[in-house]
Amino acid sequence: MIPYGRQNIDDDDVASVKEVLASDWLTTGPKVKEFEDAVADYVGAKYAVAVSSGTAALHTAAFALGIGSGDDVVVPSMTFVSTANSVVFLGGNPVFADVSAGDLLIDAGSLEHKMTSDTKAVIAVDYAGQPCDYDRIRDVAERNEVPLMADASHSLGAVYKDRRVGSICDITAFSFHPVKHITTGEGGMIVTDNPRYAERARRFRNHGISADRAEREKAATWEYDMVDLGFNYRLTDLQSALGISQLKKLDSWIARRNDIAGKYDEAFSKSRVVEPLVRSPEVIHAYHLYVVKLPLESMGVPRETLFKELRGKDIGVNVHYMPVHMHSYYMNRFGTSRGLCPVAEDAYERIISLPLYPSMSDEQSSRVISTVEDTVGEYTA
Ligand SMILES: *Cc1c(COP(=O)(O)O)cnc(C)c1O
C-alpha cells in the first residue's frame, strides 16, 4: 500500500534523540528552547512555545488570546475537528464559516457574514498546505477588532506573498504529528510576536504555574504560584531533539512535495479525469495534502466505490474532511445541521486525498496517476 502520508526518519534523527537519552534533561531542558528558537527563526516570529501536540497548540493559542466561556470564534467547517474543539475546550462556541469551492479555504464573504458583536476571534486553516487569502481575512478581522489565529497544521514552510506562515497572523499553531511536514512523534508549537500571548501560552502548557522548574532551580526556591488553570502540555527534550534534526530537512521536503504535486497537476490537467484544487500564484504551497475532486455527476457511482477500489489497488487514498458541523457531537451540542456550510458539504461528497510524502518514488507517483486515471476513467467512459 502506498500510504497518503508518512514520516522520514534518518540516522541523524536517531543520533539526536540518543544524545538526549544519555543527558541530564529528558524534559524541560535545553533542547526545548533550542527547538523553539529554531522554529521561531525559521518562520520569522519573535516567540515560540513548544507543546505536546497540534491540538494542545490550538488549545493553548486560543487560551493565550483570552477565549473563554460563551465567546464566539469563527472557524471554517472544512478542517480537522480539533480546530473547533480548541474553542469548546475553553467554553466557547465555534461558529462555522463556509469555504471557497476552488481551494476549500475559508471564504472571506462567508467569514464576513458570520462576524457579530459576540465574535472574539477568527481561526483560519491553511487547508492542504495552502495559505489562506490573508490580506482579505486579516482585513475582516481588523475591521471587527478581533485577533486572527492560524491553524497551520498543514502549512509549516508555506509562504503567502513573501511572508512565511507563522509571521502573518496574531498567533499560529503547528502540528508535528508523523503525517505532517516534520515530526516529533506527537508535538506542536505556537508562534507569535506578542509577548503577552507568549507568556500566557508558556504558563498554560505548565499547569498555569508562573515559573518553570529550571527557573526555580536557578533561583534556589521551592515556591511556585498557579495563576491560571493550565495543563501539562509540555514537549520533551527527546521530542525537541528530533524536531531540531527534522527541521533542517524541511525545505528539501517541501520542494519534493511540490515536485510530486506538479507531476500530479500536469497529468490531471491533460487527462481531466479528476479536478485538482485551485492553487494561488501568490503562495508557496506546502502540500501537506494533494486533494482532487471526483466527477460525481458523470461517474454514476458514489465516492465510496472509487475509494474502496483504489484502496484495493494499494493506493492509500483518504478523505479530508467531513465538515466539522456534521459530526454528531456538534449537531447534538450546538444544534448544527446539514445546509449550514453548503460549499464544504458539497465538496465533502467528492474529494479524495492522494498519497503525497517526500520519500515517495517517481515510480510510486506514476502508479498513483495511472491507477486513478484507469479507475475513475472506467466509470466515466
Ligand atoms: C493534524 C491537525 C491538527 C491536530 O494536530 P495533532 O498534532 O494531531 O493534535 C489540527 N488541525 C489540523 C487542520 C490538523 O491537520
Side-chain angles (χ1 to χ4, degrees), residues 53-55 58 79-80 82-83 125 151 153-154 175 177 180 187 321:
S53 71
T55 303
L58 290 163
T79 184
F80 184 53
S82 68
T83 316
V125 177
D151 177 348
S153 298
H154 295 186
S175 163
H177 181 274
K180 307 292 164 69
Y321 297 93

Side-chain angles (χ1 to χ4, degrees), residues 47-232:
Y47 308 99
V49 180
V51 292
S52 53
S53 71
T55 303
L58 290 163
H59 187 189
T60 303
F63 176 83
L65 293 183
I67 302 306
S69 188
D71 290 344
D72 285 356
V73 176
V74 183
V75 305
S77 195
M78 182 54 77
T79 184
F80 184 53
V81 289
S82 68
T83 316
N85 291 353
S86 68
V87 176
V88 183
F89 294 155
L90 294 162
N93 310 312
V95 174
F96 296 101
D98 210 344
V99 291
S100 304
D103 55 21
L104 306 188
L105 296 170
I106 191 166
D107 178 71
S110 176
L111 171 62
E112 181 103 56
H113 185 71
K114 301 281 172 146
M115 303 295 291
T116 71
S117 55
D118 293 328
T119 308
K120 291 296 179 329
V122 173
I123 308 179
V125 177
D126 296 335
Y127 178 81
Q130 171 152 247
C132 296
D133 186 357
Y134 280 113
D135 283 349
R136 293 193 62 197
I137 305 298
R138 176 166 274 296
D139 178 59
V140 175
E142 276 173 6
R143 274 188 287 109
N144 287 272
E145 296 177 354
V146 298
L148 177 60
M149 171 172 153
D151 177 348
S153 298
H154 295 186
S155 59
L156 178 64
V159 177
Y160 172 80
K161 295 185 179 176
D162 299 327
R163 291 182 72 179
R164 183 83 76 178
V165 166
S167 68
I168 302 167
C169 296
D170 297 298
I171 195 161
T172 300
F174 295 109
S175 163
F176 307 130
H177 181 274
V179 297
K180 307 292 164 69
H181 297 83
I182 65 168
T183 191
T184 58
E186 299 281 357
M189 191 143 342
I190 298 113
V191 297
T192 181
D193 280 350
N194 183 316
R196 202 170 53 86
Y197 293 162
E199 194 201 330
R200 282 174 64 80
R202 241 171 247 294
R203 265 206 314 265
F204 191 71
R205 76 162 168 199
N206 192 35
H207 311 281
I209 290 172
S210 61
D212 74 19
R213 187 179 132 209
E215 282 172 44
R216 283 204 302 279
E217 223 156 80
K218 228 188 298 168
T221 175
W222 65 83
E223 277 179 42
Y224 64 87
D225 187 26
M226 185 189 123
V227 294
D228 296 311
L229 182 62
F231 288 77
N232 176 355

